[in-house]
Each structure stands twice: as structure tokens, then as C-alpha cells.
Amino acid sequence: MKNLEVIAITFIGQILQQALATDWYFLEYNPASGENFTSFSGDMAAPTLPSAATYYLWPGLQPTDNSGVYQNVLDGRSGTWWFGSGWCCSDPTLAWGGGFNVADGATVTFSNVQQSNGSWTSTITDPTTGDSATNNFALEGKDFNQAIFAIELDGPSWDFGTLAYSNVVITSSGTDSSWCTDTPTNYDDATVYSISGVSSTVGSDEVTCTIESLVLESPA
Ligand SMILES: *[C@@H]1O[C@H](CO)[C@@H](O)[C@H](O)[C@H]1NC(C)=O
Ligand SMILES: *[C@@H]1O[C@H](CO)[C@@H](O)[C@H](O)[C@H]1NC(C)=O
């Protein structure tokens, strides 16, 4: 005979796990071993936000030690998109940068640039409204080797249509540009995506990767 209490607890546990599970969809670029990303910028079209829920749509960089993520996040929790840049979440603990509300359908820009002293400066803008925020983050000593285009969902499903990036430029140190023209890693093969207009140039210890269009189309 089964113990009903155990069944009930197992059932509640499953519900909690479902409620707390984060759904991830992301594409990731990695430079050649030993190379570091030195900047990441582009345009991002805000989809129509279906409801107030934990929709986090973000381009971001992660360091070799995976100690956190330096990101520019379209946040749907309030029911209106809010766009801000920062370092999540500790090691080091840094204040989140400034941000602003974004209308459905607006195209915003992000630019993350490593400074000569090793810190990083984020500039985010909404060219339609003129809103912008610039913040410097003390991320000296971190070597960023993961450039990520993520959809992070705590509760809702991917029900907002496409997430489209354009005019993306990523630079790395080094001279091996294969990371740019190779297809990115598609986490868990979870995402249908399209990429076009990819080109790279190599300078003295610098690779510049240009991606005219990168669209996360739908769940696979
Ligand atoms: C990556 O960055 C670290 C320090 O931030 C530096 O020591 C190293 O030389 C860099 N690698 C390359 C290939 O530039
Ligand atoms: C590093 O440079 C940035 C940009 O010039 C500046 O905002 C920041 O304060 C500097 N950090 C330190 C520790 O001096």
C-alpha cells in the first residue's frame, strides 16, 4: 500500500519544481582559447510584452571563471519593459546600472566596452525617446569568453514572438576569427534561430566580428 502523505509531498515537490524552473533559450559565441572579448554592442528590438512576468531578455558576457554575468536586460516584471545593464550577482557585488522603460516594438541599443584599466562601461539607449544610461562596472581581472544572446523565463513561456538583434559588433583579442563565422552554440538545441550578414576583420591582436542580423525565432 502506498503512503498517501509521501505521494502528496512528492506531488507538491513537482509543482514547486515546475513553478521555480527557469526556461533557457540562448546562443553563445566563444573566442579561440586564450582570447578575450573586449567589446559587445548592437541593437535589440523589444517584442510586445504579453503580461507582467519574469521575462528577462538579454545580451551579455560571461567570464572564464563563470562567476557571474555582465548583461543588458529587458525586464518584463512590471508589465512594461525596463532596460538596464549590470553585473549579476556577486563576486564582486556591484550596484545595478541605470535604466529606463521601453515601449513594445522599440529598438534599443547596447554597448559594453572594456576600458584600458580593465573595468567595463555600459551605454544603453532608446534612440526614439532619447533615454540613455551609462555606467562603469569594476570588473577588472575578469576575462570574458562567452557572448550570449539569452531568453530567460521564470514562469512565462516564450509567447512573445521573435527576439531580433541587428548591427551586432563583437571584438576579441587575438587573431583567430573562426569563432565569429562558425555557428554559435545553441543551448540544448532549444532555439530556432537565423543569422545573416556575418563578417570578420583581423587587426593587430584584435578580431572584429559583425553580425547584421541575429534572430531568436521560436522554441525548437
Ligand atoms: C586575456 O585577458 C587577460 C587579462 O585580463 C590577459 O592576461 C590575457 O593575456 C588575455 N588574453 C589574450 C589572448 O589577450
Ligand atoms: C577605470 O576607467 C573608467 C573609464 O574611464 C572609469 O570610469 C573608472 O572610474 C576607472 N576605474 C578606476 C578604478 O580608476
Side-chain angles (χ1 to χ4, degrees):
M1 213 179 99
K2 294 195 177 167
N3 180 327
L4 280 181
E5 209 172 314
V6 170
I7 293 173
I9 287 170
T10 307
F11 184 61
I12 290 167
Q14 276 168 0
I15 290 173
L16 279 178
Q17 217 168 24
Q18 276 165 14
L20 296 176
T22 301
D23 283 330
W24 285 102
Y25 302 89
F26 65 87
L27 304 180
E28 176 176 331
Y29 286 89
N30 305 110
S33 177
E35 295 183 359
N36 305 319
F37 289 126
T38 50
S39 72
F40 186 21
S41 64
D43 302 342
M44 180 186 191
T48 296
L49 180 60
S51 60
T54 307
Y55 295 88
Y56 293 139
L57 315 185
W58 52 267
L61 296 169
Q62 271 194 274
T64 50
D65 64 3
N66 292 312
S67 51
V69 56
Y70 173 44
Q71 54 188 170
N72 314 276
V73 183
L74 262 183
D75 176 339
R77 286 175 299 171
S78 79
T80 300
W81 291 118
W82 188 85
F83 193 44
S85 183
W87 166 258
C88 177
C89 300
S90 57
D91 185 21
T93 298
L94 301 175
W96 198 260
F100 43 83
N101 287 335
V102 173
D104 290 346
T107 294
V108 294
T109 76
F110 64 94
S111 169
N112 306 127
V113 180
Q114 190 174 35
Q115 305 297 306
S116 51
N117 62 13
S119 67
W120 284 75
T121 297
S122 297
T123 304
I124 54 174
T125 75
D126 181 339
T128 308
T129 60
D131 285 329
S132 72
T134 299
N135 291 96
N136 181 259
F137 297 95
L139 295 168
E140 293 89 340
K142 306 267 183 204
D143 295 336
F144 290 90
N145 71 340
Q146 301 157 62
I148 297 168
F149 296 88
I151 293 173
E152 177 183 352
L153 305 170
D154 278 307
S157 60
W158 182 349
D159 58 359
F160 50 79
T162 61
L163 175 59
Y165 291 90
S166 52
N167 304 315
V168 172
V169 181
I170 312 173
T171 61
S172 76
S173 60
T175 55
D176 182 344
S177 63
S178 58
W179 61 266
C180 171
T181 43
D182 287 351
T183 55
T185 300
N186 178 5
Y187 167 74
D188 215 13
D189 288 327
T191 303
V192 177
Y193 68 93
S194 60
I195 294 175
S196 63
V198 179
S199 62
S200 64
T201 58
V202 177
S204 151
D205 194 29
E206 183 172 68
V207 175
T208 301
C209 177
T210 303
I211 304 170
E212 282 173 16
S213 168
L214 182 153
V215 181
L216 284 71
E217 305 270 2
S218 66

